[in-house]
Amino acid sequence: MNPCVLLQKHICNIYGITELSCWSLLHIVQSLQTQVPLGKPIEDDTVLRIQWQDDGDSPNGELFLGSASRRCYIPEIDDAVETARENSGVCFRATGDLVTRLKDGTLFYEERANDVVKRAGNRISLGSMTRKIQKCLLSSELVTCIWLEDLQKVICCIRTPLSKSRVQQRAQTFDILSKVSIAEQPDRFIYLQNFPCNVHGKLDKQQLLKECIPLAQPAQEILKSYLHDRLECVEETEAKRQRLEGSNPSGYDLSFRQAGGTSFHAITICREIGQQMCIDDEQRHLFEMLLDENVPLRTVIRFLDTAKLVATNFKRKPVEQAVVSSCPAGLVIKRIEQPVPKLLFHWKANFEKCVDSPVTEYEGRYICVGAHSKILRTFDPRTGIEQSIVRLPDRIECKVTFLSEQLAMVGCYDGCLYGFNPQNGDIVFRVGIGGMIKSQPLLTADGRRIIVCSYAEDYNVYCLSAERQEVLWCLKIGEKPIFASPLELAGEQSLIICTLDGSYSRVAITDGSVEWTQKLREPIFSTPVLMEPKSNIFLSAEVAGRVHACHVGNGKILGTYNTEGNIFSSLVVKTPPTLMGHAFVVFGCIDQHVYCLRCKTGYGRTSVDFELLWRIKVGAPIYATPSLLTVQPYGVLVWCAATDGRVVLIDFGKGEIQWSDKLPGEVFSSACYIESLRRVYVGCRDNFLYCLGI
């Protein structure tokens, strides 16, 4: 092209809307180094009006264009509203654009009027964010901020003509983050060499969204990327060097807060990683871990290694606004309701008399239970085909304990402990204990000893060698029998044993010596349980309706919760993988309710406060111990059975009954659940063992 002709050409900025026959304003561009105005009206009868925002401090207002000669008929507006037409005949149309007007009348485009989003409870303007970030960039760089609605995330896209190294990108990221408020900090920074444009030459935000939606990433990598890109968390190699030099904690030895994280950052991470979590409760635990200054980041990453995650990146369920709630449930992230779970009948087996014993499973391959008919049977859990049958001299209410695939043991009303082969029903050993055995025998963690508690008058606790079933020691605790199963303190070679006269003791496994003894006013039927793995606190329940938190070291009571009925059910603990001292305990009660309590430890773990998370009435007394079922996609469900045969599934997080039905007889049997098969097995007083599938 002839240079003279080229010099005669102009670059123009033209502006308008379709509702006013397209172009209305024009400005001949003199320089691209300064902000370009919208221009002046092309026609004399074009009228401009600015409707200022309600906020008196805002310099911006929405621009309306009007004309008496150029009008487009819009039925849905013009037929319904007559106020748009002035007496002068000028018809105004909203542009949807916010503009700034200088004293000389010059107009500058600022942002779209609908470019405001609500993020974690804060209203933020994407246009304002974009302008603030643009000031941090080089003149050759451009930025736009886009909103991912389903993930509630802000993506900052930076167009840079020259590719930048990760170090350069990170330095620029931190410079930007230091100059915007926390609520305006983008969740992700994406660096591109070109922005996609549509056929009209405008930024194609839909195509840009496709390029910016994160690819599938494991939850651990999402957290690591966030730490490295957003927070002052040094690389692991540098952290190792600092540890060797004896410096202060660094890298993954820092807590999330120490690395610069805030509750706002924690919500952002939980929202993204939560899309992969099958169990909503784990999302709440992740949030607690991130805000706990005593939890190092490597512990959080280990938790994500063990959390149940879906195979794909996002479950793509719209997430409502996440808030830090003051209710006992802590962080609440609301989602679209899942389908309601229900149980279907698969098979049943006749035992001829009541099945009150708790049901036992072994590695998902065997189901084993005894009955008042003196029959002990082992089944294939999928088909219900009987694998073996054992006939004992008296009733069986004891839960079976498996030692291996070929050996299991069970207590009997005749005062003996029986070892049997579940594959063929052969009795392998028989040891006389001297009294009815209702408590489940315990195989110690090292596999060398068997602990048996009974109704015997002389000695109600026996310790046998697992190999030869020889008596290693025996003793009597309290003045009455033992119904509850013993609790082993892992790694401490000790047991907690509770009796029916209210006594509870810590006993050494090696020689049977009693390390301490405490006594409650009422009997203890409920099996004690640790509040958390390796915790120094255990929980026990008095039959009179009192749940106690006790210190492992001396047995002293650290906290108590009172119910309105007797407790025969054992306690089931849902232990969060955090160090914040919060665990949940679930149990049934004779007052016809299932209880879920939150256990909060005080400073130094010298006290425990119980908070009622929820209480559900099922319609009949509850003797059986509830079960916690992990079921995708429903999360954690609570199975509970009542004495009138009613069986229910309760949403653990919400405390709401999801499904309810009735078996033909009373239920005193505690169920077992095989997660891989999604099946529940429970005994009934109509003489049958039932298999129900979710």
Side-chain angles (χ1 to χ4, degrees), residues 147-165:
W147 175 246
L148 294 181
E149 180 65 34
D150 57 346
L151 293 180
Q152 299 279 292
K153 298 175 74 65
V154 174
I155 307 295
C156 176
C157 302
I158 297 176
R159 192 208 71 179
T160 175
L162 300 176
S163 60
K164 293 188 176 185
S165 67

Side-chain angles (χ1 to χ4, degrees), residues 80-213:
V81 181
E82 293 295 333
T83 56
R85 186 183 299 274
E86 299 281 320
N87 295 331
S88 62
V90 175
C91 180
F92 284 92
R93 301 296 190 193
T95 65
D97 293 328
L98 296 181
V99 298
T100 298
R101 182 179 184 274
L102 302 184
K103 291 182 178 180
D104 62 1
T106 305
L107 296 178
F108 291 97
Y109 169 81
E110 295 296 343
E111 62 196 21
R112 291 291 294 169
N114 61 355
D115 222 10
V116 175
V117 297
K118 194 170 183 180
R119 179 190 186 210
N122 297 279
R123 291 191 179 277
I124 58 171
S125 165
L126 298 178
S128 175
M129 285 179 62
T130 299
R131 290 194 300 276
K132 290 180 182 179
I133 295 173
Q134 186 68 58
K135 293 178 182 178
C136 304
L137 306 182
L138 301 175
S139 59
S140 60
E141 296 176 329
L142 289 177
V143 63
T144 185
C145 293
I146 55 179
W147 175 246
L148 294 181
E149 180 65 34
D150 57 346
L151 293 180
Q152 299 279 292
K153 298 175 74 65
V154 174
I155 307 295
C156 176
C157 302
I158 297 176
R159 192 208 71 179
T160 175
L162 300 176
S163 60
K164 293 188 176 185
S165 67
R166 186 173 175 83
V167 173
Q168 291 173 321
Q169 291 179 5
R170 194 162 182 260
Q172 189 173 55
T173 295
F174 282 118
D175 180 54
I176 293 170
L177 294 175
S178 68
K179 294 176 181 176
V180 296
S181 67
I182 291 179
E184 292 179 314
Q185 292 182 355
D187 298 293
R188 285 286 182 273
F189 287 85
I190 305 293
Y191 285 84
L192 302 169
Q193 288 192 296
N194 293 290
F195 280 169
C197 294
N198 59 25
V199 293
H200 303 291
K202 296 180 180 180
L203 176 66
D204 190 338
K205 288 195 175 183
Q206 294 302 318
Q207 182 60 36
L208 189 59
L209 273 172
K210 292 179 182 179
E211 296 181 19
C212 293
I213 290 177

